Amino acid sequence: MNATPDRPASTALRRLADRIGTGQATTIGMVLDGLGPAGVPLAVVLLALPSVLPVPFLPTGPVTGLLLMLIGVEFGLGARRLRLPGALLRIGLPRAVLAAVFRRALPRVEQIERWLRPGRLRWLTGAAARPLLGLSIVLLGFSLILPLPFGNPPPGIALILLGLGLLARDGAAVLVALCLGLLALAWVVAIGAGTLYALHLAVVALGWW
């Protein structure tokens, strides 16, 4: 699956959507196999989309977060092809739900791509930056696993921009994504602390503590 130089992500996603529409991709493994040379960056975008555009019955949260964490580890260690647990890859995906995700996501991906410029801060898209980027994907993926109200969209946005920046080799976009990732993690920590405090107050009020 090749993508055009100016819009690599939306072109690849559109072709993948066509494969899904013809019934050629019905599990997570089949979808990821269809990413072709776009590989890891497009997998990051694809797995982060449900956190920003939630659709009922699509495996999100624990599944996509765990997959992103595994991808982050492999990417940080320099792997060029994904080797993920078969149990996760065999999870089935309803075609109608996937089609809805792509239909909603593609216009937004195309909007972001208009701002991408290949070659900026190239070192941030090279091999030397892989450990940092892999760690960022792991942390943001972990934050998607946590069952926190309103906790998923900020990490999801950072992951999508990170994947698009890597795919377009735009280091400036990657840098913005890393900054957004830090803010997203701070947001998740704040929500988590607030949720725990609220639970503590509820337990005290009920006399269970």
Side-chain angles (χ1 to χ4, degrees), residues 32 38 53 66 200:
L32 294 180
L53 302 170
L66 179 57
H200 170 71

Side-chain angles (χ1 to χ4, degrees), residues 12-149:
L13 288 174
R14 198 174 296 281
R15 291 179 180 175
L16 181 56
D18 292 339
R19 285 171 56 91
I20 293 170
T22 58
Q24 298 180 52
T26 56
T27 66
I28 289 178
M30 295 171 69
V31 170
L32 294 180
D33 286 342
L35 299 182
V40 173
L42 193 55
V44 170
V45 174
L46 189 61
L47 291 171
L49 283 175
S51 65
V52 180
L53 302 170
V55 178
F57 311 117
L58 186 69
T60 58
V63 174
T64 55
L66 179 57
L67 283 169
L68 283 163
M69 290 179 68
L70 295 172
I71 288 172
V73 170
E74 292 193 11
F75 185 73
L77 295 176
R80 295 188 177 277
R81 294 187 64 85
L82 299 177
R83 294 177 178 85
L84 302 173
L88 289 174
L89 297 180
R90 287 191 293 271
I91 293 176
L93 300 172
R95 283 189 293 160
V97 173
L98 282 176
V101 171
F102 281 113
R103 185 171 59 252
R104 296 171 61 188
L106 278 168
R108 291 167 173 79
V109 170
E110 290 172 342
Q111 287 176 348
I112 296 174
E113 283 180 325
R114 295 191 187 102
W115 297 94
L116 299 178
R117 298 292 182 271
R120 296 188 295 187
L121 300 180
R122 186 171 299 177
W123 62 275
L124 268 174
T125 63
R130 278 187 166 231
L132 172 62
L133 301 178
L135 177 61
S136 300
I137 295 171
V138 169
L139 294 175
L140 291 169
F142 176 74
S143 70
L144 295 181
I145 297 176
L146 303 175
L148 298 174

